[in-house]
Amino acid sequence: MDYQRVVVRRHPQTGTKHNHDSKYWRQFRNPVFIKNQSPVTAIHFSPVKPHRYAVTSGARVQIYSPKTQRVSKTIARFQDNARSGHFRADGKLLVAGDDSGNIQIFDLSTRAILRNFHQHKQSVHVAKFSSDPTKILSCSDDSTVRLWSIPTSEDYLTFKEHTDYVRTGMVSSANPSLILTGSYDSTVRMFDAREGRCVMTMKGGGGGAAPLPVEQVLLFPSGTVAISSSGPILRVWDILAGGRCIRALSNHQKTITSLAFDGGATRLLSAGLDQMVKVYDVADYKVVHTMRYPAPILSVAISPDNTHIAAGMSDGTLSIRRRDPKALEAREAEDERETLRQGAYEFFATGMLGNIGEGSIKPKQKPKPEGVLGEMKAVPQRKKKLKEYDRYLKAFKYGAALDSVLRKGVPPTVTFSLIQELVHRDGVRMALAGRDDVLLEPVVRLLLRHLTDPRFGDMVCDMASLVIDMYASVLGQSPIIDVLFVRLQKKLGAELKFQNEVAKLKGALDMILATSALQQL
């Protein structure tokens, strides 16, 4: 009679399945934590490769290398705490404000100060390059928004419509004349530099009795939709419809402090004081992934090539998560860029789109040789190799079979399927007999790990009773085994207490449901 393999029992899924987005964002792993002395208030990635990133913390801006995650340059020529370190589109210049009201432009190759602006009277929390590389946007606690000309070193436009701190703002990448800002006066405003005035006002803090300050604003690259955050609320505004709020989201428990798009503006990242970074699909604004951090988050940014996520926290910690793009993904992106560099004529001339209006014809395949009518062909059947535990079971080596499934990387379903097979063979005691503390440790750890798992709870209890019965006389001789048994006892006590509370809750629910059913009668 042939040997019957161990049948691995399949259990229903205990958790939710990870969708494509969740699997993608889980590739950002192995975070690197860098400690700073002051809170990390701003992070910005350079638009050009190798996508260095500027980290603003305290009275300095540090430039990090994405390959080594180490500081390559440090800019510390600030009179007070620095704010909003921001690269220009070519990656050669950096602008930053500070709490004294100054705005400075630095040459990254020499770290020299190229321009210095002093007109703001209070802290400058926003200093960014416009999509026009000769202009700079600044937003200050003096409630003003200014546009600066780099060649003339003057502010040629000043907007004074806000009545409180202005701590967030940006210039539209589609139209350098449009400026979106958010203020602590609970409004989101759209300014037009061509008209020199506010052309749209949105109540970003809500319309309640106590509206919340607007912490962050973000504008889609198309310039047709804007996003703002006030408190834990995220609002989506339709600019083409006159600033109408089309969606309000409340997925954070505390104030949202930072917003960012991924490289293709298809996913939105929001970070908050609840130590969470949430990823939204901009098609329906549903949360597709959540990342947890050890401290409240003040800033978050993602590299243009979607390989690095950097988050700055209130305790001065900088976290960098890295994703290694697959070779195929990188090759496809490079081919697409090469196609765009070649130009439209070469794109069509080289036949990359095929002949327009013509279908593709598959080459004819060679016909397979046919045998003689009525002839039977003997196909050799390959025998599947036995698993290691099956080989040991076939040889009646029950102890070795159990050891082979106690290793790391073996799914618990396989381990407990083998234990069930040993129960059917009446070989569990034989498999557990004659073990020293080294061989007994993985058995006890298995019981400790899966004691509260409802799929294996009954089998774990039976195994634990058998192990205690067999090795009770030698307890106290190995400190490791003694500690594991103490942990097993505490975990069992906690589980019994939890089940007792569940039983009480079930009884209370049954009483409520029974009362409700009687009232309906």
Side-chain angles (χ1 to χ4, degrees):
M1 184 177 179
D2 293 338
Y3 169 76
Q4 299 295 324
R5 301 170 186 267
V6 174
V7 178
V8 178
R9 183 180 177 185
R10 296 186 178 275
H11 296 269
Q13 295 289 338
T14 56
T16 57
K17 292 184 177 181
H18 299 303
N19 55 24
H20 175 73
D21 277 289
S22 182
K23 290 179 181 179
Y24 175 83
W25 293 101
R26 284 177 181 274
Q27 294 176 11
F28 290 91
R29 57 187 69 176
N30 301 325
V32 176
F33 294 98
I34 301 172
K35 187 67 176 177
N36 294 278
Q37 295 181 353
S38 302
V40 179
T41 56
I43 303 172
H44 185 242
F45 279 89
S46 173
V48 297
K49 285 189 174 183
H51 301 304
R52 297 178 297 172
Y53 51 99
V55 177
T56 307
S57 175
R60 62 184 181 180
V61 177
Q62 294 178 312
I63 312 299
Y64 283 81
S65 168
K67 292 184 178 180
T68 62
Q69 318 303 338
R70 294 183 178 179
V71 178
S72 59
K73 293 181 185 296
T74 299
I75 300 173
R77 304 177 69 175
F78 297 96
Q79 299 178 7
D80 209 328
N81 288 333
R83 302 284 181 180
S84 184
H86 191 269
F87 288 100
R88 198 167 70 171
D90 57 6
K92 295 180 180 180
L93 301 183
L94 182 135
V95 64
D98 62 26
D99 284 351
S100 67
N102 288 340
I103 304 170
Q104 300 178 85
I105 301 177
F106 300 91
D107 183 352
L108 290 180
S109 60
T110 62
R111 289 181 290 184
I113 299 176
L114 302 181
R115 292 289 188 273
N116 201 336
F117 308 102
H118 306 279
Q119 276 77 0
H120 281 294
K121 300 177 182 179
Q122 295 186 35
S123 300
V124 177
H125 281 259
V126 177
K128 295 180 179 180
F129 283 100
S130 168
S131 49
D132 179 355
T134 63
K135 304 293 189 299
I136 288 177
L137 170 71
S138 66
C139 304
S140 172
D141 282 357
D142 61 10
S143 73
T144 63
V145 178
R146 297 174 186 262
L147 270 179
W148 307 82
S149 172
I150 299 177
T152 62
S153 300
E154 295 179 353
D155 58 330
Y156 69 96
L157 274 178
T158 301
F159 303 100
K160 300 180 179 180
E161 281 82 353
H162 283 296
T163 59
D164 207 334
Y165 300 157
V166 186
R167 294 193 171 178
T168 178
M170 66 175 297
V171 180
S172 171
S173 58
N175 187 348
S177 299
L178 296 180
I179 302 166
L180 185 72
T181 62
S183 170
Y184 275 32
D185 60 7
S186 304
T187 62
V188 176
R189 293 180 182 269
M190 176 75 77
F191 297 96
D192 192 333
R194 294 165 297 190
E195 300 184 20
R197 64 183 182 88
C198 176
V199 295
M200 192 178 299
T201 303
M202 295 155 275
K203 294 182 178 180
L212 299 172
V214 177
E215 298 287 348
Q216 286 291 317
V217 295
L218 198 60
L219 194 62
F220 274 81
S222 62
T224 58
V225 178
I227 298 173
S228 69
S229 68
S230 53
I233 310 297
L234 201 67
R235 289 182 172 85
V236 184
W237 308 90
D238 188 350
I239 303 299
L240 297 180
R244 181 172 60 91
C245 182
I246 58 177
R247 190 71 64 90
L249 312 171
S250 179
N251 295 300
H252 284 270
Q253 301 300 318
K254 294 183 179 180
T255 301
I256 299 172
T257 55
S258 185
L259 299 173
F261 283 126
D262 69 343
T266 60
R267 299 293 182 270
L268 170 69
L269 279 69
S270 66
L273 298 179
D274 55 1
Q275 307 178 16
M276 300 282 191
V277 171
K278 295 185 180 291
V279 183
Y280 303 82
D281 185 349
V282 298
D284 52 10
Y285 294 100
K286 291 184 178 179
V287 177
V288 296
H289 187 64
T290 300
M291 291 174 275
R292 300 175 184 272
Y293 286 86
I297 305 168
L298 299 181
S299 56
V300 69
I302 183 170
S303 61
D305 57 357
N306 292 339
T307 57
H308 291 75
I309 295 178
M313 287 162 259
S314 60
D315 63 352
T317 302
L318 172 67
S319 170
I320 304 102
R321 301 190 183 201
R322 183 179 178 183
R323 178 182 73 91
D324 293 326
K326 297 180 181 179
L328 179 61
E329 181 180 343
R331 188 163 59 250
E332 289 177 352
E334 183 62 31
D335 291 343
E336 182 179 353
R337 286 193 295 268
E338 182 63 27
T339 300
L340 294 176
R341 283 195 295 266
Q342 289 176 356
Y345 174 77
E346 289 81 359
F347 183 73
F348 287 97
T350 53
M352 295 185 69
L353 287 179
N355 295 325
I356 299 177
E358 296 183 5
S360 59
I361 302 175
K362 294 183 179 179
K364 294 183 179 180
Q365 298 179 353
K366 294 182 179 180
K368 296 181 179 179
E370 297 181 358
V372 181
L373 185 62
E375 180 181 337
M376 297 183 64
K377 183 178 179 180
V379 180
Q381 294 182 355
R382 295 182 180 180
K383 291 185 177 180
K384 293 183 179 180
K385 292 184 179 180
L386 294 176
K387 301 286 187 181
E388 184 180 10
Y389 53 83
D390 278 318
R391 293 199 300 270
Y392 285 128
L393 280 180
K394 187 176 181 180
F396 299 99
K397 297 179 180 180
Y398 296 154
L402 181 59
D403 291 336
S404 67
V405 296
L406 291 176
R407 299 170 185 166
K408 289 184 178 180
V410 179
T413 52
V414 175
T415 304
F416 284 98
S417 295
L418 177 82
I419 294 175
Q420 187 64 46
E421 179 66 22
L422 291 175
V423 171
H424 293 159
R425 294 178 176 225
D426 198 17
V428 180
R429 185 176 289 272
M430 294 173 59
L432 295 174
R435 292 177 177 265
D436 56 9
D437 56 348
V438 176
L439 295 177
L440 187 61
E441 180 184 355
V443 177
V444 183
R445 288 191 181 278
L446 175 73
L447 302 178
L448 183 63
R449 189 161 53 248
H450 298 287
L451 177 64
T452 58
D453 194 329
R455 298 175 297 173
F456 316 117
D458 294 340
M459 202 175 302
V460 169
C461 291
D462 295 339
M463 283 277 292
S465 300
L466 185 57
V467 170
I468 294 173
D469 182 48
M470 293 177 63
Y471 291 96
S473 59
V474 296
L475 288 179
Q477 298 181 11
S478 173
I480 297 178
I481 300 300
D482 294 345
V483 169
L484 290 177
F485 270 108
V486 170
R487 288 175 57 189
L488 186 65
Q489 182 184 13
K490 290 182 179 179
K491 193 169 185 179
L492 180 61
E495 180 65 15
L496 290 175
K497 185 178 179 180
F498 173 72
Q499 294 295 338
N500 189 23
E501 294 297 327
V502 171
K504 291 180 180 179
L505 179 61
K506 181 177 180 299
L509 289 175
D510 290 342
M511 185 179 299
I512 293 173
L513 294 175
T515 305
S516 176
L518 289 175
Q519 290 177 352
Q520 292 179 358
L521 294 177

